[in-house]
Amino acid sequence: MYMLNFYNQTVKESLERLRTNPDTGLLDAEVKRRQKKYGKNILDIKSTPLWKKILEPFIDVFMIILISAMILSAIQQDWAEVIIIAIIIAVNATIYYIQDFSTERVLRSLHAKTVHQITVLRNKEEVEISTEELVPGDIVIFKEGDRVPADGRIIEESGLLTNESMLTGESDAIAKDAKAISGSKKVYEQRNILFSGSFILTGNGKMLVTATGNNTEYGQIASLASSAESSSPIQDKINKFIVKIAIAVVSLAVIILIVQLVNGINFFLATEFTLAMIVSAVPEGLPVAISIVLAFGARRMAKKHALIKEMRAIQSIGIVTTIASDKTGTLTENKLSLQEIWSIKDEDKDFVKTIAESALPATETTDPLDTAIRDYVKKHKSYLADTGPVHTYAFDQSLKISGNLYETKTGVLHLVIKGAPETVFAKCKLSDKNREAAEAKLEELSDAGYKVIAIATTKLEHEINELNRLNKSDVFSFRGLIGIADSVRTEAIPAIKQAATAGIKVKMVTGDHAQTAFAIGKKLGLANNFSQVFDCSRMGNMPDEDLEEIVKKTMVFARVTPEDKFRILTAIKKNEIVAMTGDGVNDVPALTNAHVGIAMGDGPAIVQDAGDIVLLDNNFKNIIEAMHEGRIILANIRRMLVYLLATNAGEILTMVGALIFGGEQLLYPVQILWINLVTDSLMVIPIGLEPSEKHYLKRKPEPKDAPILSGYLIRRMVIIAITMATITLSTYYISSQFLTHEQSNTLAFVALVVMQWTNAFTVRGIHESAISRLKVRNPSFIISLILAIILQSLAVFGPLGLLLHVTSVPVLPLVIVILISFIIPFVTVELHKKFKH
């Protein structure tokens, strides 16, 4: 069944095509047959299978390396190391499962909704059924306020207006009728089709169901979600970096094994030491530390009404360079408001009252236009006539007007109409001067992006039932024009400026006409001239290469369809890291195509499922807050990487140096285990909770292809590693001239631990000095450092010494080693920061 053909067919042709009798509806037997063929009227969207959810935290390069390290430790029969790594892997998975469960629970509450009932014609009777039971060929009887349960061809209607914002993204009321349309039409041009998910604002009628479930326009858009890629740019960068390190470590291990064998070390001891070195090179605490830091970040973002569905999205949003934002509901309120009024008379004090009288009563309509007028009237303290209209005329599609009829105390009938300016102008007697003035104002308001409505009044001799019963001799008095528009969110404008300060581009994507889109973009500060607007109706079969050039200079995309959004996002992603916001089904393909999909909390379940982040309050400002939080977390992940990898590299260089220069093994495996799992693990999480550096949020975003660690940070890691190895080896060989091997080894062990503390202290500031960072509060860092010092003191002076092969050493050499191990690395790193500036 090719649903799009139905709008080209007449009502009779559509009924015949689906073999439906308009007088009886479908019979029970036929309903059962069609239900077997088409299934229930529900969306069957592929969800993540349970087995994949279980394996998700383990499908990671770093986790594979950790598991490999655990296997190597088992081969060495180092069961303590095996247990510790197993606990780390389990804790990391547990954190992931808890976060995933918490997110799913919130989403279930957002998705919860009552079962909808709809009236259909079956077996010659009107019956109430669940929307799930609908089949193609059913005749649905709809009324004002109903939610359309499936796609259908209108076969009867009276004063029908719909809201299709869930599908098209635009909140304007759409007039519908039952007339056939010729030619190929896009979704927003199919005026005789009702779409699943839209709402009936005014009027009533009947529709012939043409598509259900996944075959609806709603379902077809949703199915595109599963075809888009889902990857985290940051995780990709981390994985690439870790793989390079793994290759380097394995290569180095082979060299070390050969060196040991050449120096005459027993093969078994050489192999054991080499495996221990490989394990020591793995920063075991990093996955858990990142998971905990991300979990804390998710909690902070939840307090700002941003629900993190996919933890890696926190990393990705920190490097976003472009936000492609849906207009309706995100940058605007998704609520029409009356923003401009103009009277034909210079001082028409009664015009606001006339505007008030033009609004259909709230009990009669849910048309956003009338709601906007009533809100304006209340704000300006002008109210409808005390008695109310004696007759209300709903919007007439053929006349393009609606109205109210009032009766004065003297019995005079007073009619107020509002509608399309060209229609109202034609009913009014206007002088050439007034017509020119009205048409000029109409053009001005239209250019400013407003939907323009004209208002006129007249007196009637007798009451009429319908507006089409007006006599041609009835001449109206033109009163003025009103400009209606979707209200811009007040907080969006400063948020866009804040994004620009951080070097992040914001591009608006909307279904509005180009002129309207430009006007809104100008209000938001996105576009200064019309050349920055691209009308996507021109996209057609445009080559991808041409589109890529267009998106670079375009800030506002107009007349956008769901397929257009998908292509636009794909083009932007060629050169940018993109976050996409959306609240309607039309946004689903783009949400899944973006690096970070941000769904609105009041959107349908399928939209929230498509997003990586759900914005519970629809506030654009909180997207910028989330990006700032992401930048802080990304900076802290880099701090953790520098800290752990630099110290681990220092350990490896120390062991390699001892083999090359002394032909012996330095440090016991248990000491290396202590350094990695006690000192490292204690300090790495507080480093990951460090507040941001000054002006960090105002820095320009990095290029898309920038590595996880810049050359500047890699050079620092190399400097730290070489410094640590040099001081440790120097400590051992100098002290061995006057102390025993065990005492020299103990001093080398102490030196390495103190330098790790120093590294943790200096890494608090990536660009800022460690001294200036003392003013920044991070209680967890101080507590962890004190705890690390206490544990190390127990290792050197207490009962843990025997287990760690630590022996007593003279106080003076110990103090000297501690001072050197702090001062030299500290000064070296701070000088590196200074030279960078």
Side-chain angles (χ1 to χ4, degrees), residues 252 336 352:
L252 187 60
L336 294 180
V352 174

Side-chain angles (χ1 to χ4, degrees), residues 228-241:
E229 61 176 291
S230 176
S231 64
S232 163
I234 284 294
Q235 195 60 43
D236 290 344
K237 291 180 180 185
I238 292 176
N239 289 344
K240 287 177 184 177
F241 189 70

Side-chain angles (χ1 to χ4, degrees), residues 199 226 280 286 386 478 483 497 527 534 554 586 597 652 741 762 774 787 822:
F199 290 88
S226 60
S280 71
L286 185 60
D386 294 336
F478 177 68
K497 289 181 180 177
F534 178 64
T554 300
N586 61 311
I652 293 173
H741 167 74
T762 57
L774 289 173
L787 185 57
F822 176 78

Side-chain angles (χ1 to χ4, degrees), residues 676-692:
N676 285 357
L677 298 182
V678 178
T679 308
D680 278 359
S681 298
L682 269 175
M683 299 306 304
V684 70
I685 293 175
I687 288 171
L689 299 176
E690 190 71 22
S692 72

Side-chain angles (χ1 to χ4, degrees), residues 445-604:
L445 292 174
S446 297
D447 288 346
Y450 294 116
K451 177 180 180 180
V452 185
I453 304 296
I455 297 176
T457 61
T458 191
K459 293 179 181 178
L460 298 181
E461 294 181 358
H462 56 84
E463 188 175 336
I464 55 175
N465 294 324
E466 297 177 351
L467 288 174
N468 58 16
R469 293 185 177 275
L470 284 168
N471 295 322
K472 291 183 179 180
S473 58
D474 291 327
V475 178
F476 283 77
S477 173
F478 177 68
R479 299 300 302 275
L481 302 170
I482 59 176
I484 304 287
D486 193 356
S487 304
V488 169
R489 282 183 175 268
T490 54
E491 66 275 9
I493 297 173
I496 289 171
K497 289 181 180 177
Q498 197 176 1
T501 303
I504 300 163
K505 297 183 281 290
V506 179
K507 297 177 183 285
M508 186 177 79
V509 183
T510 176
D512 281 333
H513 290 282
Q515 193 65 49
T516 304
F518 172 60
I520 296 170
K522 195 171 183 180
K523 285 182 184 178
L524 290 164
L526 294 176
N528 297 319
N529 57 73
F530 197 73
S531 64
Q532 294 173 294
V533 179
F534 178 64
D535 188 334
C536 291
S537 62
R538 294 161 41 203
M539 192 182 296
N541 296 320
M542 178 183 291
D544 291 341
E545 295 77 14
D546 293 349
L547 184 60
E548 286 170 26
E549 290 302 313
I550 287 172
V551 299
K552 289 178 183 178
K553 61 183 180 181
T554 300
M555 302 305 294
V556 176
F557 296 90
R559 300 306 284 165
V560 181
T561 65
E563 294 78 12
D564 293 339
K565 282 187 182 181
F566 194 90
R567 282 194 68 195
I568 289 167
L569 260 294
T570 302
I572 297 175
K573 282 174 65 179
K574 294 286 185 181
N575 301 294
E576 308 280 351
I577 302 292
V578 190
M580 171 70 197
T581 73
D583 65 344
V585 180
N586 61 311
D587 299 317
V588 168
L591 284 173
T592 55
N593 190 33
H595 291 111
V596 182
I598 304 173
M600 299 298 111
D602 62 357

Side-chain angles (χ1 to χ4, degrees), residues 342-394:
W342 177 81
S343 173
I344 192 67
K345 298 179 182 178
D346 291 336
E347 293 185 12
D348 189 352
K349 295 181 181 179
D350 292 331
F351 185 47
V352 174
K353 182 183 177 184
T354 304
I355 293 172
E357 290 175 340
S358 73
L360 305 189
T363 55
E364 298 290 334
T365 180
T366 53
D367 188 343
L369 171 61
D370 293 304
T371 302
I373 291 174
R374 287 193 294 271
D375 290 343
Y376 180 88
V377 167
K378 290 176 184 176
K379 187 187 298 183
H380 290 77
K381 298 182 179 179
S382 297
Y383 300 95
L384 295 172
D386 294 336
T387 56
V390 295
H391 200 106
T392 292
Y393 307 101

